[in-house]
Structure formats: C-alpha cells, structure tokens
Amino acid sequence: MGRDVEQGAFSREDRVRYRQKVRRCLDVFALMLDDFGFDADRPMTGLEIELNLMDPAAEPAMRNEQILADIADPLFQTELGQFNLELNAKPRLIEGGGFADYEQDLRSSLSRADERAARSEARIVLVGILPTLTERHLVVDNLSTAARYRVLNDQIVGARGEDIELDIRGVERLQTHTDSIAPEAACTSLQFHLQVAPDSFADYWNASQAIAGVQVAVGANSPFLYGRQLWAETRIALFEQATDTRPDELKAQGVRPRVWFGERWITSIFDLFEENVRYFPPLLPICEDEDPVEVLHAGGVPELAELRLHNGTVYRWNRPVYDIMNGRPHLRVENRVLPAGPTVVDMLANAAFYFGLARGLAEADRPIWSQLTFSSAEENFHTAARRGMDAVLHWPRLGDVPVTKLVLDTLLPTAAVGLDRFGVAPAERDRLLGIIEQRCRTGRNGAVWQTEAVWAAERHRGMDRGAALHDMVQRYVALQRSNEPVHTWPVD
C-alpha cells in the first residue's frame, strides 16, 4: 500500500485530502453508472479461501512467510495472522463443467501447497476457526510481518481508544479483552465473487442478504474458540467484535459498526458506496496520483483507488466490488458469510447453492426483499450463526420454519433453477446440491461434526476439553484429505 502505509503515520492533511478524493471518486462512479460500458456479458465467478497452518501437534504454525516463499505461487497470499494463508482461485464461468474445473484446480493447488508446508512441519487446514487456538496465539506479535497489517491494527485500535472486548455467549461463554485485532486472524472464510451488470446489482445484493442466514446455517463450521463451544458459526460474532472501532458510548449513539450487515434493501450499488462515505471515517487515508475526473473525460477507465480502498475497510457480509479486468470495469457481489472447509467438495456445494439461489431469487417475478423485512433478514443471519442446523428462520408465506425444511422444500428447487440459468451441467448441479440436501437430511455440517467428535472424545474416551480438541483436529485433517462430504464423516 505504499510508503505511507509502511510509516503508518497519517497527518490531518492526509485525512482531509483523502476524504475529498473519496468524494470525487464517488461522483465519478455515479457518472460511470449512468452511461459507462461495464463488462457484464458473461458473468464470471471467483472463490477466495482463507487457510490455517497447523503443526504436528495440531497447534497453529506461525510460518506463513517461509511457507509462502516455498509455495512460490501468486495464487497464494499472506493473511492477517502468521498461521494464515489465502488462496485465490482463477475466476471462471460455472456453465458446463465449471464447478468440476474449480474442484480439480483447488485440490491440485492445495495438495501442492500442503506438500510445501510439510517441509516446514506444517499442514493446511480448511476450517472457520482452528479449534486449538488460544489467547496466547492471538497476540500482536503473531500478525503477519507485512507492514499493512500492523498499520491496520494501529488504526483500528487507535480509533477505538481502548482494549477490544470479546463477549460471546453460546453453549458456553467467552468473555475476555484484547489490545489488538489479532483475534480476527482466527476467522478464516470462504468468499464467493459473482460478476453482475449495474442494473441488476441491487437485485443480486438484496437476494444475497436475504439468504445469508440460510447459507450460514447449512455451512457453519466454527463452533470452538479458546477451548469453549460457542456459536455454530462463532466466526460471525468474533469478526464483528474483534474489529469494532466503537467504544460503548458510540455504540449507544447508534454509530454503525465496520463489520456490518447493513440496514436496508438497496436500489443501486451506488447506495452502498455512498453509505461507506457517509458513515465511516477512513482508516487508511492513502491517496494516489490519479485524477478520476480527468481520466473519465479522456475516455479512460478510472481506477477509483481511494473509493476501493475505503470500501475494503468496511467489512460488509455482502460487499460491493468495483474492479477492472483487461481494461474494462466490472461490478461484483462479494459474498463473505461462510467459513472455509470442511472439504473442497463441501465448499463447492456451498458455492453452487449460493450462486444458484442468488440468481433464482434475483430473477424471480416477485422479489424476496419485497416480502421479507430487512430486520428479519438480519435476525435470520444471527440466529443461524448461533444455532446452525437447528436454526428456525422467518421466511415469507411460511412464517417461522426450521432451516432444514426451508432448504429442502423451498430453496433447493430455486437454486437448481438458478444453476440451470447459468448453464451448469445437470450432473454437476445435482451432485453439488445433493450434498446440501444430505446435510439437511442428516442434520450434519462441519460445526455439528466438530461438536459431536469432541463430545465423543470427552464422554467415551475420558479426554479433557483440550485433549479432545487436539484429537478432533487431527481426525478432521485426515478426513478433510479424503474430500468426502462432511455429512458422511464418522464421529467415533
């Protein structure tokens, strides 16, 4: 992010200039949405997977820098913690055998990376929160060495002005404080990107918001943190709290959190970028030399670097993205609600369910967001994060319904229609949606398997919680390598 990030010191003048530049970018973006040619002819998709590194004792391995150098693949990058990596799959169409191509590429990349990690006595784990993480691991000294992470930490902690409180009440309770954003590194996610046209962006974003709770319920894979069983998808609560720049007084005043579900349905992607500028002060006020007005008037494609950087520090669960590829601008919905894992095929089943359902609902004759209140969508999201497969969600015309019944009876058929519109091969559609179906019929996703495996170790083999977690993680990693869906995994 340049010299200023490395120094990490921003002046008042930096902040004033950056605010002016962001607003100038926003004005240019509005003009572009009116009459610019965005790339939307064939909607590309993308996947990002955040990874954990584990040592032979099932503890986090703080070795991402040396492992990344050994992998030597630009698809892999650092992440916040030294025990994290990120894998960015090559974007592609999902028509025909696109999902099978994703699966082959992801398995090949992960296998190669795992071989390289083994040279540093580490293994790669696909999981929402590594269950063996403790408070001693999540400290500022274990942030990745890239300067931008330390600067981001300093800006968030400085904006808050006091320690960050973590208070998560689930099956058990975790209550502690931290003086850094290091606990955020525990949150390893699976992110989907879907390219959309400007005039249909709002439909896809609204649809994504409406189904966020359903996604989390069936895909939950983060039940443990600091040795405690908390939410089915504890990652949601942890991410919301670990990056909160607001002391209690600002929360009481209704100041928006930076990890944000949102507060309304939208009519344009512009609504989201405008909210970013209106509600959130800059964390990283770094300006580039480009004048977006001059570039636009000259017939070029503005980078809008300041607007994009600011957008990257507002952590929406469904984030709007403006990007440029091969000289053409495009828009994407970045769906960020799901955890990594348990297997590649499980993640692709989650992807098929999301892409199909988002399209099926976005193109429905009667929009779901005209029938579901936004507050109900947000409540569904947090209910699903707490309860997972046991969640009861509110849905139009059905009232309060178990999420498994909602998926089986209503949403899987809609997702199938959406995948057909993408041109996905019927065999791939049925294979991947069949995994979602079987999760719902068995009531078992990653979070359920983890908790059942720990309970079995505690009750049947007399292990204490720490030993049970380490035992479970070792078994989890072995089963993960089989690429068999998690609903088929044995507990004992």
Side-chain angles (χ1 to χ4, degrees), residues 15 89 100 102 177 183 191 215 218 236 267-268 273 286 323 406 424 438 478 490-491:
R15 295 183 183 280
Y102 265 131
H177 290 79
Q191 298 163 19
Q215 286 182 269
V218 299
I236 301 297
T267 58
S268 166
F273 281 99
I286 305 159
D323 206 350
L406 174 62
V424 174
Q438 289 305 309
V491 172

mmCIF file of all heavy atoms in Angstrom, residues 15 89 100 102 177 183 191 215 218 236 267-268 273 286 323 406 424 438 478 490-491:
data_model
loop_
_atom_site.group_PDB
_atom_site.id
_atom_site.type_symbol
_atom_site.label_atom_id
_atom_site.label_comp_id
_atom_site.label_asym_id
_atom_site.label_seq_id
_atom_site.Cartn_x
_atom_site.Cartn_y
_atom_site.Cartn_z
ATOM 1 N N ARG A 15 -5.785 13.075 5.912
ATOM 2 C CA ARG A 15 -7.178 12.676 6.079
ATOM 3 C C ARG A 15 -8.124 13.599 5.322
ATOM 4 O O ARG A 15 -9.097 13.145 4.708
ATOM 5 C CB ARG A 15 -7.538 12.618 7.565
ATOM 6 C CG ARG A 15 -6.750 11.532 8.300
ATOM 7 C CD ARG A 15 -7.141 11.401 9.755
ATOM 8 N NE ARG A 15 -6.307 10.404 10.420
ATOM 9 C CZ ARG A 15 -6.489 9.089 10.349
ATOM 10 N NH1 ARG A 15 -7.509 8.603 9.650
ATOM 11 N NH2 ARG A 15 -5.674 8.249 10.967
ATOM 12 N N ALA A 89 -8.670 -18.570 -6.214
ATOM 13 C CA ALA A 89 -8.859 -19.386 -7.406
ATOM 14 C C ALA A 89 -8.974 -18.497 -8.643
ATOM 15 O O ALA A 89 -9.430 -17.346 -8.555
ATOM 16 C CB ALA A 89 -10.112 -20.242 -7.262
ATOM 17 N N ALA A 100 -16.568 -28.499 -11.741
ATOM 18 C CA ALA A 100 -15.586 -29.589 -11.768
ATOM 19 C C ALA A 100 -14.182 -29.032 -12.008
ATOM 20 O O ALA A 100 -13.200 -29.515 -11.424
ATOM 21 C CB ALA A 100 -15.953 -30.605 -12.836
ATOM 22 N N TYR A 102 -13.181 -25.992 -11.092
ATOM 23 C CA TYR A 102 -12.798 -25.415 -9.800
ATOM 24 C C TYR A 102 -12.260 -26.498 -8.865
ATOM 25 O O TYR A 102 -11.223 -26.331 -8.221
ATOM 26 C CB TYR A 102 -14.016 -24.776 -9.128
ATOM 27 C CG TYR A 102 -14.199 -23.298 -9.344
ATOM 28 C CD1 TYR A 102 -15.436 -22.782 -9.734
ATOM 29 C CD2 TYR A 102 -13.165 -22.394 -9.120
ATOM 30 C CE1 TYR A 102 -15.644 -21.415 -9.904
ATOM 31 C CE2 TYR A 102 -13.354 -21.037 -9.299
ATOM 32 C CZ TYR A 102 -14.588 -20.548 -9.687
ATOM 33 O OH TYR A 102 -14.769 -19.195 -9.860
ATOM 34 N N HIS A 177 -10.639 -9.675 26.938
ATOM 35 C CA HIS A 177 -10.242 -8.433 26.274
ATOM 36 C C HIS A 177 -8.979 -8.679 25.461
ATOM 37 O O HIS A 177 -8.202 -9.582 25.742
ATOM 38 C CB HIS A 177 -9.986 -7.319 27.298
ATOM 39 C CG HIS A 177 -11.206 -6.821 27.982
ATOM 40 N ND1 HIS A 177 -11.808 -7.499 29.028
ATOM 41 C CD2 HIS A 177 -11.965 -5.706 27.759
ATOM 42 C CE1 HIS A 177 -12.865 -6.825 29.428
ATOM 43 N NE2 HIS A 177 -12.987 -5.733 28.680
ATOM 44 N N PRO A 183 -7.170 -11.388 17.274
ATOM 45 C CA PRO A 183 -8.210 -12.419 17.258
ATOM 46 C C PRO A 183 -8.965 -12.519 15.931
ATOM 47 O O PRO A 183 -9.517 -13.577 15.612
ATOM 48 C CB PRO A 183 -9.141 -11.996 18.400
ATOM 49 C CG PRO A 183 -8.231 -11.307 19.368
ATOM 50 C CD PRO A 183 -7.277 -10.547 18.489
ATOM 51 N N GLN A 191 -15.019 -17.049 0.414
ATOM 52 C CA GLN A 191 -15.675 -15.892 -0.200
ATOM 53 C C GLN A 191 -15.985 -16.187 -1.662
ATOM 54 O O GLN A 191 -15.131 -16.687 -2.402
ATOM 55 C CB GLN A 191 -14.781 -14.664 -0.074
ATOM 56 C CG GLN A 191 -14.503 -14.277 1.374
ATOM 57 C CD GLN A 191 -13.336 -13.337 1.546
ATOM 58 O OE1 GLN A 191 -12.912 -12.671 0.608
ATOM 59 N NE2 GLN A 191 -12.789 -13.282 2.754
ATOM 60 N N GLN A 215 -27.412 -19.634 4.290
ATOM 61 C CA GLN A 215 -26.049 -20.063 3.973
ATOM 62 C C GLN A 215 -25.272 -20.430 5.220
ATOM 63 O O GLN A 215 -24.605 -21.471 5.282
ATOM 64 C CB GLN A 215 -25.292 -18.942 3.254
ATOM 65 C CG GLN A 215 -25.658 -18.661 1.821
ATOM 66 C CD GLN A 215 -24.758 -17.564 1.289
ATOM 67 O OE1 GLN A 215 -25.090 -16.382 1.367
ATOM 68 N NE2 GLN A 215 -23.605 -17.941 0.783
ATOM 69 N N VAL A 218 -26.488 -23.808 7.068
ATOM 70 C CA VAL A 218 -26.113 -25.099 6.475
ATOM 71 C C VAL A 218 -24.613 -25.236 6.297
ATOM 72 O O VAL A 218 -24.100 -26.356 6.166
ATOM 73 C CB VAL A 218 -26.830 -25.331 5.129
ATOM 74 C CG1 VAL A 218 -28.328 -25.354 5.312
ATOM 75 C CG2 VAL A 218 -26.436 -24.305 4.084
ATOM 76 N N ILE A 236 -18.724 -15.411 13.021
ATOM 77 C CA ILE A 236 -19.539 -14.214 12.799
ATOM 78 C C ILE A 236 -19.402 -13.258 13.978
ATOM 79 O O ILE A 236 -19.099 -12.073 13.802
ATOM 80 C CB ILE A 236 -21.021 -14.600 12.592
ATOM 81 C CG1 ILE A 236 -21.195 -15.535 11.383
ATOM 82 C CG2 ILE A 236 -21.882 -13.348 12.454
ATOM 83 C CD1 ILE A 236 -20.821 -14.951 10.054
ATOM 84 N N THR A 267 -31.418 0.032 -4.023
ATOM 85 C CA THR A 267 -31.901 0.134 -5.400
ATOM 86 C C THR A 267 -30.769 0.250 -6.403
ATOM 87 O O THR A 267 -30.986 0.169 -7.605
ATOM 88 C CB THR A 267 -32.825 1.351 -5.555
ATOM 89 O OG1 THR A 267 -32.111 2.543 -5.180
ATOM 90 C CG2 THR A 267 -34.062 1.204 -4.658
ATOM 91 N N SER A 268 -29.537 0.439 -5.897
ATOM 92 C CA SER A 268 -28.367 0.582 -6.770
ATOM 93 C C SER A 268 -27.114 0.292 -5.964
ATOM 94 O O SER A 268 -27.081 0.506 -4.743
ATOM 95 C CB SER A 268 -28.292 2.002 -7.337
ATOM 96 O OG SER A 268 -27.020 2.261 -7.926
ATOM 97 N N PHE A 273 -21.833 2.318 -1.741
ATOM 98 C CA PHE A 273 -20.628 3.156 -1.705
ATOM 99 C C PHE A 273 -20.914 4.504 -1.051
ATOM 100 O O PHE A 273 -20.072 5.052 -0.335
ATOM 101 C CB PHE A 273 -20.076 3.337 -3.115
ATOM 102 C CG PHE A 273 -19.299 2.157 -3.621
ATOM 103 C CD1 PHE A 273 -19.876 1.238 -4.469
ATOM 104 C CD2 PHE A 273 -17.992 1.957 -3.228
ATOM 105 C CE1 PHE A 273 -19.160 0.134 -4.929
ATOM 106 C CE2 PHE A 273 -17.260 0.871 -3.675
ATOM 107 C CZ PHE A 273 -17.850 -0.041 -4.531
ATOM 108 N N ILE A 286 -4.856 6.915 2.243
ATOM 109 C CA ILE A 286 -3.735 6.871 1.298
ATOM 110 C C ILE A 286 -4.241 7.322 -0.070
ATOM 111 O O ILE A 286 -5.156 6.721 -0.634
ATOM 112 C CB ILE A 286 -3.163 5.450 1.191
ATOM 113 C CG1 ILE A 286 -2.769 4.951 2.578
ATOM 114 C CG2 ILE A 286 -1.995 5.403 0.221
ATOM 115 C CD1 ILE A 286 -2.681 3.455 2.669
ATOM 116 N N ASP A 323 -14.076 -3.218 -9.931
ATOM 117 C CA ASP A 323 -12.751 -3.677 -10.301
ATOM 118 C C ASP A 323 -12.574 -3.515 -11.809
ATOM 119 O O ASP A 323 -13.534 -3.239 -12.544
ATOM 120 C CB ASP A 323 -12.575 -5.152 -9.905
ATOM 121 C CG ASP A 323 -11.111 -5.525 -9.660
ATOM 122 O OD1 ASP A 323 -10.225 -4.706 -9.984
ATOM 123 O OD2 ASP A 323 -10.859 -6.634 -9.169
ATOM 124 N N LEU A 406 -36.901 -25.524 5.253
ATOM 125 C CA LEU A 406 -36.906 -24.420 4.287
ATOM 126 C C LEU A 406 -36.025 -24.743 3.088
ATOM 127 O O LEU A 406 -36.415 -24.521 1.930
ATOM 128 C CB LEU A 406 -36.420 -23.141 4.975
ATOM 129 C CG LEU A 406 -36.215 -21.908 4.101
ATOM 130 C CD1 LEU A 406 -37.512 -21.460 3.456
ATOM 131 C CD2 LEU A 406 -35.596 -20.769 4.920
ATOM 132 N N VAL A 424 -25.140 -24.556 -15.910
ATOM 133 C CA VAL A 424 -24.372 -25.592 -15.218
ATOM 134 C C VAL A 424 -24.838 -26.962 -15.685
ATOM 135 O O VAL A 424 -26.044 -27.207 -15.855
ATOM 136 C CB VAL A 424 -24.544 -25.460 -13.688
ATOM 137 C CG1 VAL A 424 -23.880 -26.617 -12.962
ATOM 138 C CG2 VAL A 424 -23.977 -24.120 -13.214
ATOM 139 N N GLN A 438 -28.275 -33.604 1.542
ATOM 140 C CA GLN A 438 -27.926 -34.626 2.524
ATOM 141 C C GLN A 438 -27.496 -34.013 3.862
ATOM 142 O O GLN A 438 -27.749 -34.588 4.918
ATOM 143 C CB GLN A 438 -26.833 -35.540 1.968
ATOM 144 C CG GLN A 438 -27.329 -36.465 0.869
ATOM 145 C CD GLN A 438 -28.522 -37.287 1.331
ATOM 146 O OE1 GLN A 438 -28.496 -37.923 2.392
ATOM 147 N NE2 GLN A 438 -29.597 -37.266 0.535
ATOM 148 N N ALA A 478 -7.317 -35.444 8.658
ATOM 149 C CA ALA A 478 -7.236 -36.701 7.905
ATOM 150 C C ALA A 478 -8.477 -36.898 7.037
ATOM 151 O O ALA A 478 -8.372 -37.288 5.865
ATOM 152 C CB ALA A 478 -7.060 -37.867 8.872
ATOM 153 N N PRO A 490 -17.445 -40.246 9.842
ATOM 154 C CA PRO A 490 -17.751 -40.929 11.102
ATOM 155 C C PRO A 490 -17.355 -40.081 12.286
ATOM 156 O O PRO A 490 -16.355 -39.352 12.251
ATOM 157 C CB PRO A 490 -16.907 -42.203 11.023
ATOM 158 C CG PRO A 490 -15.741 -41.813 10.155
ATOM 159 C CD PRO A 490 -16.278 -40.852 9.135
ATOM 160 N N VAL A 491 -18.117 -40.172 13.376
ATOM 161 C CA VAL A 491 -17.826 -39.397 14.582
ATOM 162 C C VAL A 491 -16.842 -40.153 15.472
ATOM 163 O O VAL A 491 -15.885 -39.579 15.980
ATOM 164 C CB VAL A 491 -19.113 -39.069 15.349
ATOM 165 C CG1 VAL A 491 -18.787 -38.443 16.707
ATOM 166 C CG2 VAL A 491 -19.984 -38.123 14.536
#
